[in-house]
Structure formats: structure tokens, C-alpha cells
């Protein structure tokens, strides 16, 4: 026999169902019917204007379609022009690498000019890229917080060859906040900077989370990043999304110094993978690092990147429901900063002109005359004329048996004709030092094996030796021979003196064998080594020819 429910039980159930239905209707009213447009009166239009990978390019770096682009005064002018479309609803940001790997006009002054320029551009927010870490913790925080450099590296060689302090005693640092969620103090989960920032425009809040590629640990001098750990990007974003939502923030944008590539609407790369793994609460990701164009969607999230060096800006438009605080529409445009289409910003133009005057005597000093173009173009084995020249310069500077140079540290070619100091600086802009140490023949074999790492191959440029390799062989067996230039095999039990720049000498790019070297000493800058070597060559000078007389042979 089935027992019937009591009247009181039925009344309680009915009341519970009515309450649930009421709450559901309220929730529907709050969020708005699905697929039904939100009334325009409830929409707040918020515009995000930004750029990535500025790298201190105060001057125009190149042309697009035969038209010059970029330059800080033009970058500023484009930001101003676009903001006039939404003067009360615009947020200005950058997505990392605003400094580091910079041209002489900024680097000579410790990238203070780049910070001054961005201050004049009225940025609201920035995040860290890998290059912000190039010169270590103290210098990174000085650029953010201000003050004259006092760590001993504040001196540069002046036009007369004498050292001069090129850091401004009144340098104020960045006048806008930086965020960094996945950069934490080593051994902790404590971010080194605020992980996120909330900015209010047109009565609505937009939350920003800042992240940088964990690859930073591999591509920056190890000593410079030793105080930090770099956590997974999407895991970190997903950790902070609930914190923003608890603060009533539903419009969430990630500033991700992490790269990718786009062909048509198909995008690949680290930032694409990480964006797909981010919470659905994230509305847009503004990327950097790969210096590429991106304007696509990944798992419903807008993903955009505006090339590099100030040659373009990203304009992200968010439509935010004032009632629910959700983003109900998002679109982006990447705008090229053509110089002939706009008047430059006068304040920033005056800043650039001042630094141009100061750097001209240094940059225009002629070092030598190149008989022909000397380029980074490689043979099938991965050897270049410029790489050979730089390795020769460092071996001569250190008085070493051998020298090794990482190809990623060579950033420009040398054109035929007069070669100025400014041109040489563009070739090696990182202010690395030349290190000298002792390695055994066995260690040199092990070092060369480290050229072949999981997912990537980096062929070192060499001087004083020759080697052959077969990349198809098993790991640890890919170097098939290492010889002196006359063909004599190196002695695996003997000790040799070796020169390398400080980036790889401290284990950068995964070349950790260098850290085993004995009697390590630092001698001077890699740029100084190259300048001295070129100055000592018969003029006009030539570089080794890796095609006619190769030092590296690929087998298999």
C-alpha cells in the first residue's frame, strides 16, 4: 500500500517550487533573455587602446608598404586620435617588453627614455614581459619605481671614450601601475607585483590580469631571473578570476606577454593554448612576445596582438551590460601607425628630439668599413658570416682557444660601407659581457649536444674549432666530430679556454654546461669586443665565408 503525502508536506513542496521559480525568473531578468539584445540604454562602451613589445623604439623602425611607421611621437598621436572616439571610456595599456633589447637611443640611457615616452602617452596600466627582467631584479624595479641607477652599471662610454653616468638623477619611474600575476618570488606563490587591477570607465569595472610566458626562465640570463618563479599562465588566470568576480567584476581582460601566430582565422602558439584553457569568464586576451598580428577568437575569447616596436596599436571595444556587468559584445582592430597619416604628438616629439641630439655623437662614430654586407643568413647547417665574425671577435678579446655565440643574440645585419657604433649596437643590443672559462673536451661535446633540445634546435656559432652533427641520431649522440681548423680532433680529456657571452655562460638558452666551467672571469662587453676586433682588421674588412669555408657541417 502506497502512503499518501500529508497536506502540510504538499503545501511545503508547493512553496519551495514557487520560490525556486521566482528565483529563476529573477535570474533570467537580471541576465536578460538569451539571444535577445540588451537595450542600448544599459550598454557601456569601453575602449582599450594598447601596444606590445615597444622595446624602446623611440624612432621609426621600418616601413610598411613603402610608408614609414612607428616612432614614439606617432604612436602617441594614434592613441590620442582613437581615444577621441570615446574620451570618457578609454583605457590605455601595454602588454610587456616595453624595454630591453632596445636601440641605442633608449638603451644608452638605461631605457629611461622609453619610460618617459610611455608616461607622456598617458598609459593606465602595463604588464611585465621577459625583457623587463634582462638586467635583474634591482634594475627592473628601479624602472618601475624611479631613481638614478647606482648599481655600477650606470656608466656608458661617452663620445670621447671616457665613462659617463647616463642615468637621470630625477628619473621618476613609470607613472602607471604594473601587474604580474604569474611572476612570484622563488619558492613561494606570492606575486612580486599586484596580480590584477580594476579600472572603472563609464560606470562599469574592467578587471585586468597580467601574465608573462614561463619561457622567461629559459630566455633571460639565469642570474637575472633567479629570484623569481614563473607559474602556468592559464592556471594563474583561473586562480584570480574568482577574486575579481567577488569584487563585482565581470568584464575581465588578460594582458598576456605570450606569443602566437595567425594565418587567416587559424591561430597557434602558447598564448592560443593558454587562452583556450582560461575560464569562460575571460572576455579578451591582449598578447605580446611573438611580434605578430593576431585578431581572432579562441574558445569565444577575443585574442589580439599588434605586431611590435610601436608599428601598430590594438583597439579593443567592449560592450558591457551595466546591469549584469557582463561583456555582451567585443571586437578589435589592429591599426598601423603610418607616419604620413597623422601629425606627431608635440610633447613626445620634443622628448625624442632631445635624446636624438644626445646620442648622435655616440651613434655616428665610425668603427670601420665593411667590404660587403655581413648578414645573419645561415647555411643549411646553421652557420652565418656575422655569427662567425662575432665568435672570432670574442675569442680574440678573451685570448681563448674557442668561442661560442648564440644566434638569438644577433639582432641586425651589417651593411656594406661605413659601420658606425650605432649599427654595431643594433647587432648586439643586450649589453652582455664576455666571459672566459675552462672546459674539457668532453664538456665541449656535451655543450654542443645541448644545441638539440626538446622542440627546438639552436646552432651555436663557433670560432677556433669545427664540428659536424647528425640531428637524426639519438640524443647524446648527435655530435659526430669536433676538430681544430686543421682537422685534428680535440682531445676529450684535455682542458681548453673558452669564451662566450654572459647570457649563455650562465646557462641561458639551456646551455648549462657553461656553468660547469672552471676559473670563470668576466672581461668586458661583447660590443666592446666586436668594436675592437673590427678596428684591428684591414679596412675595408671582410667576414669569414661559411659557404666557402664552413666551420659547421650537417650530416644525415
Amino acid at each position: 500500500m502506497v502512503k499518501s503525502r500529508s497536506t502540510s508536506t504538499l503545501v511545503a513542496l508547493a512553496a519551495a517550487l514557487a520560490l525556486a521559480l521566482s528565483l529563476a525568473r529573477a535570474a533570467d531578468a537580471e541576465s536578460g533573455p538569451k539571444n535577445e539584445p540588451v537595450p542600448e540604454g544599459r550598454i557601456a562602451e569601453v575602449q582599450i587602446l594598447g601596444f606590445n613589445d615597444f622595446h624602446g623604439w623611440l624612432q621609426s623602425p621600418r616601413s610598411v608598404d613603402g610608408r614609414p611607421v612607428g616612432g614614439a611621437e606617432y604612436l602617441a598621436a594614434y592613441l590620442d586620435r582613437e581615444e577621441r572616439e570615446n574620451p570618457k571610456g578609454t583605457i590605455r595599456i601595454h602588454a610587456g617588453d616595453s624595454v630591453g633589447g632596445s636601440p641605442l637611443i633608449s638603451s644608452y640611457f638605461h631605457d629611461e627614455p622609453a619610460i618617459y615616452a610611455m608616461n607622456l602617452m598617458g598609459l593606465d596600466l602595463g604588464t611585465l614581459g621577459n625583457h623587463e627582467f634582462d638586467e635583474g631584479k634591482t634594475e627592473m624595479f628601479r624602472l618601475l619605481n624611479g631613481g638614478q641607477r647606482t648599481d655600477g652599471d650606470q656608466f656608458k662610454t661617452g663620445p670621447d671614450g671616457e665613462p659617463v653616468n647616463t642615468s637621470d638623477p630625477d628619473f621618476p619611474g613609470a607613472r602607471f601601475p604594473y601587474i604580474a600575476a604569474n611572476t612570484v618570488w622563488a619558492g613561494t606563490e606570492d606575486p612580486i607585483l599586484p596580480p590584477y587591477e580594476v579600472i572603472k570607465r563609464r560606470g562599469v569595472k574592467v578587471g585586468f590580469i597580467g601574465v608573462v610566458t614561463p619561457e622567461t626562465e629559459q630566455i633571460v640570463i639565469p642570474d637575472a631571473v633567479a629570484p623569481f618563479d614563473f607559474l602556468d599562465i592559464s592556471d594563474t588566470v583561473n586562480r584570480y578570476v574568482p577574486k575579481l568576480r567577488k569584487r563585482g567584476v565581470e568584464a575581465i581582460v588578460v594582458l598576456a606577454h605570450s606569443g602566437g601566430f595567425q594565418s587567416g582565422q587559424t591561430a597557434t602558439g602558447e598564448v592560443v593554448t593558454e587562452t583556450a584553457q582560461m575560464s569562460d569568464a575571460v572576455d579578451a586576451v591582449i598578447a605580446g612576445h611573438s611580434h605578430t598580428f593576431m585578431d581572432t577568437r579562441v574558445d569565444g575569447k577575443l585574442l589580439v596582438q599588434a605586431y611590435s616596436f610601436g608599428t601598430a596599436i590594438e583597439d579593443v571595444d567592449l560592450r558591457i551590460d551595466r546591469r549584469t556587468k557582463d561583456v555582451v559584445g567585443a571586437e578589435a582592430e589592429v591599426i598601423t601607425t603610418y607616419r604620413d597619416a597623422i601629425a606627431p604628438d608635440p610633447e613626445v616629439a620634443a622628448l625624442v628630439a632631445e635624446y636624438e641630439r644626445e646620442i648622435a655623437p655616440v651613434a655616428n662614430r665610425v668603427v670601420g668599413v665593411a667590404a660587403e654586407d655581413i648578414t645573419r643568413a645561415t647555411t643549411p647547417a646553421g652557420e652565418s658570416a656575422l655569427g662567425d665574425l662575432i665568435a672570432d671577435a670574442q675569442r680574440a678579446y678573451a685570448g681563448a682557444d674557442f668561442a661560442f655565440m648564440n644566434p638569438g643574440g644577433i639582432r641586425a645585419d651589417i651593411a656594406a660601407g661605413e659601420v658606425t657604433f650605432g649599427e654595431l649596437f643594433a647587432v648586439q643590443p643586450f649589453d652582455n659581457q664576455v666571459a672566459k672559462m675552462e672546459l674539457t673536451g668532453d664538456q665541449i661535446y656535451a655543450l654542443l649536444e645541448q644545441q638539440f633540445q626538446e622542440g627546438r634546435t639552436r646552432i651555436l656559432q663557433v670560432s677556433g674549432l669545427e664540428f659536424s652533427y647528425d640531428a637524426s641520431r639519438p640524443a647524446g649522440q648527435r655530435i659526430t666530430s669536433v676538430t681544430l681548423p686543421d682537422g685534428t680532433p680535440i682531445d676529450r680529456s684535455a682542458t681548453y679556454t673558452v669564451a662566450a657571452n654572459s647570457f649563455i655562460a650562465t646557462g641561458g638558452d639551456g646551455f648549462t654546461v657553461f656553468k660547469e666551467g672552471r676559473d670563470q672571469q668576466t672581461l668586458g662587453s661583447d660590443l666592446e669586443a666586436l668594436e675592437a676586433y673590427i678596428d684591428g682588421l684591414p679596412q675595408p674588412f671582410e667576414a669569414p665565408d661559411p659557404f666557402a669555408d664552413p666551420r659547421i657541417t650537417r650530416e644525415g
Side-chain angles (χ1 to χ4, degrees):
M1 177 177 175
V2 178
K3 294 184 179 180
S4 61
R5 297 181 185 271
S6 68
T7 303
S8 61
T9 301
L10 291 173
V11 169
L13 285 171
L17 287 171
L19 177 60
L21 181 60
S22 174
L23 291 173
R25 285 172 176 165
D28 285 344
E30 182 70 14
S31 62
K34 291 183 179 179
N35 302 320
E36 184 174 310
V38 177
E40 283 298 321
R42 269 175 39 194
I43 294 294
E45 302 272 1
V46 175
Q47 176 178 239
I48 302 170
L49 299 176
F51 52 88
N52 54 275
D53 299 276
F54 181 47
H55 289 289
W57 275 93
L58 271 64
Q59 299 162 305
S60 175
R62 62 170 66 97
S63 295
V64 174
D65 301 325
R67 301 163 63 188
V69 295
E73 67 270 42
Y74 292 91
L75 176 60
Y78 274 90
L79 293 172
D80 290 343
R81 187 190 76 179
E82 297 306 311
E83 180 164 341
R84 285 194 286 271
E85 295 182 1
N86 192 354
K88 294 183 179 180
T90 294
I91 302 168
R92 298 187 181 197
I93 60 89
H94 79 73
D97 275 10
S98 59
V99 299
S102 309
L104 190 62
I105 191 173
S106 187
S107 179
Y108 188 79
F109 304 99
H110 313 283
D111 272 323
E112 293 169 10
I115 301 294
Y116 273 122
M118 292 190 296
N119 285 343
L120 290 176
M121 292 177 200
L123 295 190
D124 296 295
L125 190 62
T127 194
L128 299 175
N130 53 285
H131 278 284
E132 269 80 5
F133 297 90
D134 280 351
E135 296 195 67
K137 176 184 71 174
T138 300
E139 178 63 0
M140 180 185 71
F141 281 112
R142 185 190 74 85
L143 287 175
L144 271 55
N145 300 324
Q148 187 175 36
R149 189 167 188 173
T150 58
D151 61 358
D153 290 329
Q154 65 268 35
F155 298 99
K156 300 285 185 178
T157 302
D160 58 0
E162 295 298 318
V164 56
N165 187 341
T166 61
S167 178
D168 185 349
D170 299 318
F171 176 62
R175 289 178 173 162
F176 53 91
Y178 275 71
I179 52 175
N182 74 323
T183 303
V184 299
W185 295 110
T188 77
E189 292 189 356
D190 300 328
I192 67 169
L193 290 170
Y196 59 81
E197 182 84 6
V198 177
I199 298 177
K200 193 172 185 179
R201 291 289 188 272
R202 293 196 175 276
V204 296
K205 297 176 181 178
V206 181
F208 293 86
I209 302 171
V211 288
V212 65
T213 173
E215 187 186 27
T216 299
E217 287 184 314
Q218 285 76 52
I219 58 179
V220 175
I221 291 176
D223 288 349
V225 293
F228 315 113
D229 287 336
F230 299 88
L231 308 180
D232 182 83
I233 287 175
S234 55
D235 286 350
T236 301
V237 169
N238 294 343
R239 182 179 307 120
Y240 286 104
V241 162
K243 297 180 184 296
L244 285 170
R245 300 183 83 175
K246 283 183 180 179
R247 294 184 56 177
V249 179
E250 294 294 337
I252 298 176
V253 177
V254 175
L255 305 184
H257 192 79
S258 170
F261 303 88
Q262 181 176 338
S263 177
Q265 284 301 304
T266 301
T268 58
E270 179 185 63
V271 75
V272 178
T273 302
E274 295 294 336
T275 298
Q277 296 171 359
M278 290 178 193
S279 164
D280 290 340
V282 171
D283 299 293
V285 177
I286 299 176
H289 189 50
S290 53
H291 296 200
T292 53
F293 166 87
M294 299 188 80
D295 184 3
T296 188
R297 291 184 185 274
V298 176
D299 195 29
K301 308 172 190 77
L302 190 64
L303 175 61
V304 61
Q305 182 178 178
Y307 296 106
S308 60
F309 304 145
T311 61
I313 64 171
E314 53 246 339
D315 181 345
V316 176
D317 294 315
L318 302 179
R319 290 168 53 83
I320 303 174
D321 186 334
R322 295 180 186 275
R323 181 182 298 175
T324 68
K325 305 173 186 176
D326 283 323
V327 172
V328 295
E331 59 182 15
E333 181 183 8
V334 174
I335 303 168
T336 302
T337 54
Y338 291 112
R339 293 165 66 98
D340 59 8
I342 199 168
D345 179 280
E347 265 194 297
V348 181
L351 176 80
V352 174
E354 177 185 347
Y355 280 111
E356 284 177 334
R357 285 192 297 271
E358 290 192 42
I359 201 60
V362 176
N364 296 334
R365 179 167 52 83
V366 176
V367 174
V369 179
E372 57 187 359
D373 292 347
I374 304 173
T375 76
R376 296 162 289 171
T378 63
T379 67
E383 180 183 354
S384 73
L386 187 50
D388 287 350
L389 180 71
I390 292 171
D392 286 348
Q394 293 184 11
R395 182 164 70 98
Y397 188 73
D401 297 317
F402 309 136
F404 300 90
M405 175 64 195
N406 58 309
I410 307 172
R411 291 306 179 100
D413 299 329
I414 295 175
E418 287 189 344
V419 179
T420 65
F421 179 81
E423 289 173 297
L424 286 189
F425 183 90
V427 173
Q428 294 183 280
F430 297 111
D431 201 24
N432 285 319
Q433 302 296 296
V434 176
K436 184 179 181 181
M437 67 192 74
E438 292 182 351
L439 293 176
T440 66
D442 264 341
Q443 288 173 316
I444 289 169
Y445 266 87
L447 171 69
L448 293 173
E449 287 287 348
Q450 289 185 324
Q451 296 173 117
F452 312 98
Q453 299 170 28
E454 185 175 352
R456 66 182 64 186
T457 297
R458 292 185 175 95
I459 300 300
L460 291 169
Q461 310 300 288
V462 298
S463 177
L465 58 77
E466 297 177 358
F467 71 90
S468 60
Y469 69 88
D470 184 346
S472 67
R473 297 180 63 172
Q477 302 175 34
R478 290 167 177 152
I479 300 303
T480 56
S481 72
V482 183
T483 70
L484 301 177
D486 65 4
T488 304
I490 68 167
D491 185 343
R492 298 185 68 142
S493 63
T495 298
Y496 299 91
T497 54
V498 168
N501 68 51
S502 52
F503 171 60
I504 55 174
T506 53
D509 272 352
F511 291 107
T512 57
V513 169
F514 282 119
K515 297 172 71 174
E516 303 170 9
R518 296 178 56 191
D519 296 329
Q520 294 206 25
Q521 51 186 307
T522 301
L523 305 175
S525 78
D526 55 0
L527 187 57
E528 182 180 289
L530 183 58
E531 180 182 3
Y533 187 70
I534 289 175
D535 183 62
L537 292 174
Q539 302 295 321
F541 69 92
E542 297 180 348
D545 185 344
F547 291 91
D549 188 15
R551 302 173 182 183
I552 305 172
T553 301
R554 184 180 71 178
E555 301 174 344

